[in-house]
Amino acid sequence: MKDLIYPVIVSEFNDDGHYFVATSPNISGMVTQGDSLADVQLHARDAIETMLEDESEYPEVADTRDWNLKDNEQIVYITVDLDQK
């Protein structure tokens, strides 16, 4: 089993409704959104697994200690199962 845990940055917005956006410094171009924190976590897992499904080597998991977050941001850890491919 090849499970990895990637940190993502989840931003909460209230500008045009209430929603969450997830991005990953580990996975270039990964961005997804959801109506709730749980929803965006599911979408982030799916996005990461989809983006890495044809890869034989996976990006290193980033060290989050140096990340500068905005007030509306938090780090969420996403477990991905890369053996599903």
Side-chain angles (χ1 to χ4, degrees), residues 51-72:
M51 293 181 81
L52 297 180
E53 70 184 354
D54 294 327
E55 301 297 322
S56 59
E57 293 187 27
Y58 307 115
E60 287 290 319
V61 176
D63 182 352
T64 62
R65 290 178 287 188
D66 294 330
W67 292 3
N68 294 317
L69 301 177
K70 298 176 184 171
D71 290 340
N72 69 324

PDB file of all heavy atoms in Angstrom, residues 51-72:
ATOM      1  N   MET A  51      -3.929  13.664 -10.169  1.00  0.00           N
ATOM      2  CA  MET A  51      -2.737  14.290 -10.737  1.00  0.00           C
ATOM      3  C   MET A  51      -1.497  13.398 -10.646  1.00  0.00           C
ATOM      4  O   MET A  51      -0.579  13.536 -11.448  1.00  0.00           O
ATOM      5  CB  MET A  51      -2.485  15.640 -10.070  1.00  0.00           C
ATOM      6  CG  MET A  51      -3.564  16.659 -10.392  1.00  0.00           C
ATOM      7  SD  MET A  51      -3.274  18.253  -9.633  1.00  0.00           S
ATOM      8  CE  MET A  51      -2.083  18.936 -10.796  1.00  0.00           C
ATOM      9  N   LEU A  52      -1.487  12.475  -9.692  1.00  0.00           N
ATOM     10  CA  LEU A  52      -0.316  11.622  -9.505  1.00  0.00           C
ATOM     11  C   LEU A  52      -0.500  10.205 -10.036  1.00  0.00           C
ATOM     12  O   LEU A  52       0.420   9.398  -9.965  1.00  0.00           O
ATOM     13  CB  LEU A  52       0.047  11.552  -8.014  1.00  0.00           C
ATOM     14  CG  LEU A  52       0.463  12.861  -7.361  1.00  0.00           C
ATOM     15  CD1 LEU A  52       0.793  12.635  -5.895  1.00  0.00           C
ATOM     16  CD2 LEU A  52       1.628  13.498  -8.090  1.00  0.00           C
ATOM     17  N   GLU A  53      -1.665   9.903 -10.592  1.00  0.00           N
ATOM     18  CA  GLU A  53      -1.963   8.521 -10.957  1.00  0.00           C
ATOM     19  C   GLU A  53      -1.020   7.924 -12.007  1.00  0.00           C
ATOM     20  O   GLU A  53      -0.805   6.718 -12.010  1.00  0.00           O
ATOM     21  CB  GLU A  53      -3.416   8.368 -11.388  1.00  0.00           C
ATOM     22  CG  GLU A  53      -3.772   9.003 -12.704  1.00  0.00           C
ATOM     23  CD  GLU A  53      -5.260   8.876 -13.011  1.00  0.00           C
ATOM     24  OE1 GLU A  53      -5.975   8.207 -12.246  1.00  0.00           O
ATOM     25  OE2 GLU A  53      -5.693   9.456 -14.013  1.00  0.00           O
ATOM     26  N   ASP A  54      -0.452   8.720 -12.870  1.00  0.00           N
ATOM     27  CA  ASP A  54       0.448   8.190 -13.902  1.00  0.00           C
ATOM     28  C   ASP A  54       1.925   8.388 -13.564  1.00  0.00           C
ATOM     29  O   ASP A  54       2.792   8.093 -14.389  1.00  0.00           O
ATOM     30  CB  ASP A  54       0.143   8.839 -15.254  1.00  0.00           C
ATOM     31  CG  ASP A  54      -1.235   8.456 -15.771  1.00  0.00           C
ATOM     32  OD1 ASP A  54      -1.675   7.317 -15.490  1.00  0.00           O
ATOM     33  OD2 ASP A  54      -1.871   9.284 -16.445  1.00  0.00           O
ATOM     34  N   GLU A  55       2.194   8.863 -12.362  1.00  0.00           N
ATOM     35  CA  GLU A  55       3.576   9.123 -11.953  1.00  0.00           C
ATOM     36  C   GLU A  55       4.184   7.882 -11.299  1.00  0.00           C
ATOM     37  O   GLU A  55       3.494   7.136 -10.604  1.00  0.00           O
ATOM     38  CB  GLU A  55       3.623  10.293 -10.959  1.00  0.00           C
ATOM     39  CG  GLU A  55       3.063  11.598 -11.504  1.00  0.00           C
ATOM     40  CD  GLU A  55       3.841  12.136 -12.681  1.00  0.00           C
ATOM     41  OE1 GLU A  55       5.077  12.020 -12.667  1.00  0.00           O
ATOM     42  OE2 GLU A  55       3.219  12.662 -13.611  1.00  0.00           O
ATOM     43  N   SER A  56       5.464   7.679 -11.511  1.00  0.00           N
ATOM     44  CA  SER A  56       6.153   6.577 -10.844  1.00  0.00           C
ATOM     45  C   SER A  56       6.883   7.061  -9.595  1.00  0.00           C
ATOM     46  O   SER A  56       7.160   6.289  -8.692  1.00  0.00           O
ATOM     47  CB  SER A  56       7.139   5.905 -11.795  1.00  0.00           C
ATOM     48  OG  SER A  56       8.082   6.839 -12.257  1.00  0.00           O
ATOM     49  N   GLU A  57       7.181   8.350  -9.544  1.00  0.00           N
ATOM     50  CA  GLU A  57       7.775   8.964  -8.358  1.00  0.00           C
ATOM     51  C   GLU A  57       6.868  10.097  -7.917  1.00  0.00           C
ATOM     52  O   GLU A  57       6.299  10.807  -8.743  1.00  0.00           O
ATOM     53  CB  GLU A  57       9.172   9.490  -8.670  1.00  0.00           C
ATOM     54  CG  GLU A  57      10.162   8.385  -8.971  1.00  0.00           C
ATOM     55  CD  GLU A  57      11.577   8.899  -9.114  1.00  0.00           C
ATOM     56  OE1 GLU A  57      11.904   9.946  -8.521  1.00  0.00           O
ATOM     57  OE2 GLU A  57      12.350   8.256  -9.823  1.00  0.00           O
ATOM     58  N   TYR A  58       6.754  10.249  -6.604  1.00  0.00           N
ATOM     59  CA  TYR A  58       5.822  11.233  -6.049  1.00  0.00           C
ATOM     60  C   TYR A  58       6.579  12.399  -5.435  1.00  0.00           C
ATOM     61  O   TYR A  58       7.684  12.224  -4.914  1.00  0.00           O
ATOM     62  CB  TYR A  58       4.927  10.569  -5.014  1.00  0.00           C
ATOM     63  CG  TYR A  58       4.239   9.344  -5.572  1.00  0.00           C
ATOM     64  CD1 TYR A  58       4.502   8.082  -5.076  1.00  0.00           C
ATOM     65  CD2 TYR A  58       3.350   9.452  -6.633  1.00  0.00           C
ATOM     66  CE1 TYR A  58       3.892   6.954  -5.607  1.00  0.00           C
ATOM     67  CE2 TYR A  58       2.733   8.339  -7.175  1.00  0.00           C
ATOM     68  CZ  TYR A  58       3.006   7.093  -6.657  1.00  0.00           C
ATOM     69  OH  TYR A  58       2.406   5.992  -7.184  1.00  0.00           O
ATOM     70  N   PRO A  59       5.994  13.576  -5.483  1.00  0.00           N
ATOM     71  CA  PRO A  59       6.649  14.749  -4.892  1.00  0.00           C
ATOM     72  C   PRO A  59       6.914  14.547  -3.402  1.00  0.00           C
ATOM     73  O   PRO A  59       6.127  13.909  -2.707  1.00  0.00           O
ATOM     74  CB  PRO A  59       5.643  15.877  -5.107  1.00  0.00           C
ATOM     75  CG  PRO A  59       4.729  15.393  -6.178  1.00  0.00           C
ATOM     76  CD  PRO A  59       4.701  13.905  -6.067  1.00  0.00           C
ATOM     77  N   GLU A  60       8.039  15.081  -2.948  1.00  0.00           N
ATOM     78  CA  GLU A  60       8.349  15.057  -1.523  1.00  0.00           C
ATOM     79  C   GLU A  60       7.283  15.837  -0.767  1.00  0.00           C
ATOM     80  O   GLU A  60       6.760  16.841  -1.261  1.00  0.00           O
ATOM     81  CB  GLU A  60       9.712  15.704  -1.263  1.00  0.00           C
ATOM     82  CG  GLU A  60      10.881  14.865  -1.700  1.00  0.00           C
ATOM     83  CD  GLU A  60      11.081  13.642  -0.827  1.00  0.00           C
ATOM     84  OE1 GLU A  60      10.941  13.746   0.402  1.00  0.00           O
ATOM     85  OE2 GLU A  60      11.364  12.573  -1.397  1.00  0.00           O
ATOM     86  N   VAL A  61       6.996  15.382   0.418  1.00  0.00           N
ATOM     87  CA  VAL A  61       6.044  16.090   1.265  1.00  0.00           C
ATOM     88  C   VAL A  61       6.752  17.313   1.840  1.00  0.00           C
ATOM     89  O   VAL A  61       7.838  17.207   2.402  1.00  0.00           O
ATOM     90  CB  VAL A  61       5.526  15.171   2.379  1.00  0.00           C
ATOM     91  CG1 VAL A  61       4.615  15.927   3.318  1.00  0.00           C
ATOM     92  CG2 VAL A  61       4.806  13.968   1.771  1.00  0.00           C
ATOM     93  N   ALA A  62       6.144  18.461   1.663  1.00  0.00           N
ATOM     94  CA  ALA A  62       6.761  19.722   2.075  1.00  0.00           C
ATOM     95  C   ALA A  62       6.761  19.889   3.588  1.00  0.00           C
ATOM     96  O   ALA A  62       5.873  19.410   4.286  1.00  0.00           O
ATOM     97  CB  ALA A  62       6.019  20.893   1.435  1.00  0.00           C
ATOM     98  N   ASP A  63       7.761  20.590   4.062  1.00  0.00           N
ATOM     99  CA  ASP A  63       7.846  20.967   5.467  1.00  0.00           C
ATOM    100  C   ASP A  63       7.012  22.236   5.644  1.00  0.00           C
ATOM    101  O   ASP A  63       7.304  23.262   5.037  1.00  0.00           O
ATOM    102  CB  ASP A  63       9.304  21.215   5.838  1.00  0.00           C
ATOM    103  CG  ASP A  63       9.494  21.555   7.296  1.00  0.00           C
ATOM    104  OD1 ASP A  63       8.501  21.746   8.025  1.00  0.00           O
ATOM    105  OD2 ASP A  63      10.658  21.624   7.721  1.00  0.00           O
ATOM    106  N   THR A  64       6.000  22.170   6.450  1.00  0.00           N
ATOM    107  CA  THR A  64       5.055  23.286   6.592  1.00  0.00           C
ATOM    108  C   THR A  64       5.508  24.354   7.583  1.00  0.00           C
ATOM    109  O   THR A  64       4.853  25.389   7.694  1.00  0.00           O
ATOM    110  CB  THR A  64       3.674  22.762   7.032  1.00  0.00           C
ATOM    111  OG1 THR A  64       3.803  22.125   8.316  1.00  0.00           O
ATOM    112  CG2 THR A  64       3.118  21.781   6.034  1.00  0.00           C
ATOM    113  N   ARG A  65       6.601  24.128   8.266  1.00  0.00           N
ATOM    114  CA  ARG A  65       7.021  25.076   9.302  1.00  0.00           C
ATOM    115  C   ARG A  65       7.323  26.467   8.764  1.00  0.00           C
ATOM    116  O   ARG A  65       7.191  27.458   9.485  1.00  0.00           O
ATOM    117  CB  ARG A  65       8.238  24.541  10.046  1.00  0.00           C
ATOM    118  CG  ARG A  65       7.897  23.352  10.931  1.00  0.00           C
ATOM    119  CD  ARG A  65       9.117  22.839  11.602  1.00  0.00           C
ATOM    120  NE  ARG A  65       9.922  22.146  10.598  1.00  0.00           N
ATOM    121  CZ  ARG A  65      10.996  21.436  10.877  1.00  0.00           C
ATOM    122  NH1 ARG A  65      11.437  21.364  12.113  1.00  0.00           N
ATOM    123  NH2 ARG A  65      11.669  20.816   9.920  1.00  0.00           N
ATOM    124  N   ASP A  66       7.717  26.572   7.514  1.00  0.00           N
ATOM    125  CA  ASP A  66       8.076  27.872   6.947  1.00  0.00           C
ATOM    126  C   ASP A  66       6.942  28.519   6.154  1.00  0.00           C
ATOM    127  O   ASP A  66       7.129  29.572   5.550  1.00  0.00           O
ATOM    128  CB  ASP A  66       9.299  27.732   6.042  1.00  0.00           C
ATOM    129  CG  ASP A  66      10.538  27.343   6.823  1.00  0.00           C
ATOM    130  OD1 ASP A  66      10.638  27.716   8.007  1.00  0.00           O
ATOM    131  OD2 ASP A  66      11.397  26.648   6.251  1.00  0.00           O
ATOM    132  N   TRP A  67       5.793  27.889   6.125  1.00  0.00           N
ATOM    133  CA  TRP A  67       4.675  28.446   5.365  1.00  0.00           C
ATOM    134  C   TRP A  67       4.089  29.641   6.113  1.00  0.00           C
ATOM    135  O   TRP A  67       3.845  29.580   7.316  1.00  0.00           O
ATOM    136  CB  TRP A  67       3.592  27.406   5.143  1.00  0.00           C
ATOM    137  CG  TRP A  67       3.987  26.292   4.223  1.00  0.00           C
ATOM    138  CD1 TRP A  67       5.196  26.089   3.637  1.00  0.00           C
ATOM    139  CD2 TRP A  67       3.162  25.216   3.804  1.00  0.00           C
ATOM    140  NE1 TRP A  67       5.177  24.950   2.867  1.00  0.00           N
ATOM    141  CE2 TRP A  67       3.937  24.400   2.954  1.00  0.00           C
ATOM    142  CE3 TRP A  67       1.853  24.852   4.059  1.00  0.00           C
ATOM    143  CZ2 TRP A  67       3.437  23.246   2.359  1.00  0.00           C
ATOM    144  CZ3 TRP A  67       1.357  23.701   3.468  1.00  0.00           C
ATOM    145  CH2 TRP A  67       2.140  22.916   2.624  1.00  0.00           C
ATOM    146  N   ASN A  68       3.866  30.715   5.390  1.00  0.00           N
ATOM    147  CA  ASN A  68       3.230  31.905   5.952  1.00  0.00           C
ATOM    148  C   ASN A  68       1.773  31.906   5.516  1.00  0.00           C
ATOM    149  O   ASN A  68       1.481  32.060   4.334  1.00  0.00           O
ATOM    150  CB  ASN A  68       3.925  33.178   5.468  1.00  0.00           C
ATOM    151  CG  ASN A  68       5.342  33.273   5.992  1.00  0.00           C
ATOM    152  OD1 ASN A  68       5.587  32.989   7.154  1.00  0.00           O
ATOM    153  ND2 ASN A  68       6.275  33.648   5.144  1.00  0.00           N
ATOM    154  N   LEU A  69       0.886  31.723   6.464  1.00  0.00           N
ATOM    155  CA  LEU A  69      -0.539  31.635   6.159  1.00  0.00           C
ATOM    156  C   LEU A  69      -1.236  32.961   6.414  1.00  0.00           C
ATOM    157  O   LEU A  69      -0.871  33.708   7.318  1.00  0.00           O
ATOM    158  CB  LEU A  69      -1.197  30.540   7.004  1.00  0.00           C
ATOM    159  CG  LEU A  69      -0.632  29.129   6.841  1.00  0.00           C
ATOM    160  CD1 LEU A  69      -1.344  28.185   7.793  1.00  0.00           C
ATOM    161  CD2 LEU A  69      -0.748  28.657   5.413  1.00  0.00           C
ATOM    162  N   LYS A  70      -2.252  33.214   5.615  1.00  0.00           N
ATOM    163  CA  LYS A  70      -3.108  34.377   5.828  1.00  0.00           C
ATOM    164  C   LYS A  70      -4.142  34.032   6.905  1.00  0.00           C
ATOM    165  O   LYS A  70      -4.293  32.865   7.282  1.00  0.00           O
ATOM    166  CB  LYS A  70      -3.811  34.752   4.522  1.00  0.00           C
ATOM    167  CG  LYS A  70      -2.853  35.150   3.416  1.00  0.00           C
ATOM    168  CD  LYS A  70      -3.590  35.409   2.133  1.00  0.00           C
ATOM    169  CE  LYS A  70      -2.600  35.707   1.018  1.00  0.00           C
ATOM    170  NZ  LYS A  70      -3.254  35.762  -0.289  1.00  0.00           N
ATOM    171  N   ASP A  71      -4.854  35.031   7.371  1.00  0.00           N
ATOM    172  CA  ASP A  71      -5.844  34.825   8.436  1.00  0.00           C
ATOM    173  C   ASP A  71      -6.938  33.832   8.061  1.00  0.00           C
ATOM    174  O   ASP A  71      -7.480  33.150   8.921  1.00  0.00           O
ATOM    175  CB  ASP A  71      -6.483  36.149   8.850  1.00  0.00           C
ATOM    176  CG  ASP A  71      -5.510  37.045   9.597  1.00  0.00           C
ATOM    177  OD1 ASP A  71      -4.498  36.536  10.127  1.00  0.00           O
ATOM    178  OD2 ASP A  71      -5.766  38.269   9.660  1.00  0.00           O
ATOM    179  N   ASN A  72      -7.265  33.742   6.781  1.00  0.00           N
ATOM    180  CA  ASN A  72      -8.343  32.851   6.341  1.00  0.00           C
ATOM    181  C   ASN A  72      -7.836  31.484   5.885  1.00  0.00           C
ATOM    182  O   ASN A  72      -8.573  30.708   5.302  1.00  0.00           O
ATOM    183  CB  ASN A  72      -9.150  33.497   5.209  1.00  0.00           C
ATOM    184  CG  ASN A  72      -8.359  33.612   3.921  1.00  0.00           C
ATOM    185  OD1 ASN A  72      -7.149  33.856   3.930  1.00  0.00           O
ATOM    186  ND2 ASN A  72      -9.030  33.434   2.802  1.00  0.00           N
TER     187      ASN A  72
END
